[in-house]
Amino acid sequence: MELRLNKITQMIDDFSNQRDWSQFHSPKNLAVSISIEANELLECFQWTDPSVKAVDDDEELRQKIQDELADVLIYVLRTCSVLGFDPLEVINKKLRVNEQKYPVHLAKGTSSKYDQLSRDGVE
């Protein structure tokens, strides 16, 4: 998996470099682009709340969601590359932090934020 991720990141970097777009890829501009694309993903669900099955059954919606997810992921990987971050290491580190913030015995079955878990009477 890591090899494939490295290859895809290199493809994204090559695509950007061939077009001389690195000059525009400041950390702020890339973060803004992630946000814009994430909001375009949200547009797929505006005024609806489809189930997983409904998405599975709607090929046009599935394709639109995939396209927007790809845009978000491309910008995320480009940001990691520009800043010299290993995306898998970043994810692993954050998962370890979240394991501490959301212990199973407190977080299971609730959507409460970590600082509200014990106050919700979920101990």
Side-chain angles (χ1 to χ4, degrees), residues 3-108:
L3 186 59
R4 288 178 50 194
L5 187 58
N6 288 340
K7 183 173 174 59
I8 289 171
T9 300
Q10 186 60 55
M11 290 169 59
I12 294 166
D13 289 347
D14 290 347
F15 181 91
S16 296
N17 291 334
Q18 290 165 0
R19 288 154 182 81
D20 194 24
W21 287 351
S22 293
Q23 62 183 315
F24 309 116
H25 289 178
S26 67
K28 187 234 12 152
N29 286 348
L30 290 166
V32 167
S33 296
I34 292 167
S35 179
I36 290 167
E37 295 301 339
N39 281 291
E40 289 181 13
L41 174 61
L42 280 173
E43 281 185 318
C44 297
F45 303 100
Q46 189 174 21
W47 313 120
T48 66
D49 189 8
S51 65
V52 172
K53 180 171 178 2
V55 173
D56 283 345
D57 292 343
D58 186 336
E59 187 54 41
E60 185 177 330
L61 179 58
R62 283 179 60 78
Q63 187 58 56
K64 180 69 174 155
I65 292 169
Q66 288 177 14
D67 289 346
E68 298 307 337
L69 281 170
D71 288 339
V72 171
L73 289 165
I74 287 167
Y75 278 119
V76 167
L77 291 174
R78 180 68 177 147
T79 304
C80 284
S81 179
V82 166
L83 294 175
F85 298 159
D86 177 331
L88 296 178
E89 185 178 308
V90 168
I91 292 167
N92 284 326
K93 183 177 178 184
K94 185 60 176 182
L95 284 173
R96 286 193 303 275
V97 168
N98 285 346
E99 285 176 347
Q100 297 299 311
K101 288 167 66 172
Y102 295 95
V104 173
H105 72 283
L106 293 177
K108 188 171 185 174

Side-chain angles (χ1 to χ4, degrees), residues 107-123:
K108 188 171 185 174
T110 181
S111 62
S112 296
K113 191 171 175 181
Y114 68 92
D115 61 349
Q116 297 295 311
L117 286 175
S118 62
R119 284 191 236 152
D120 290 341
V122 185
E123 291 188 299

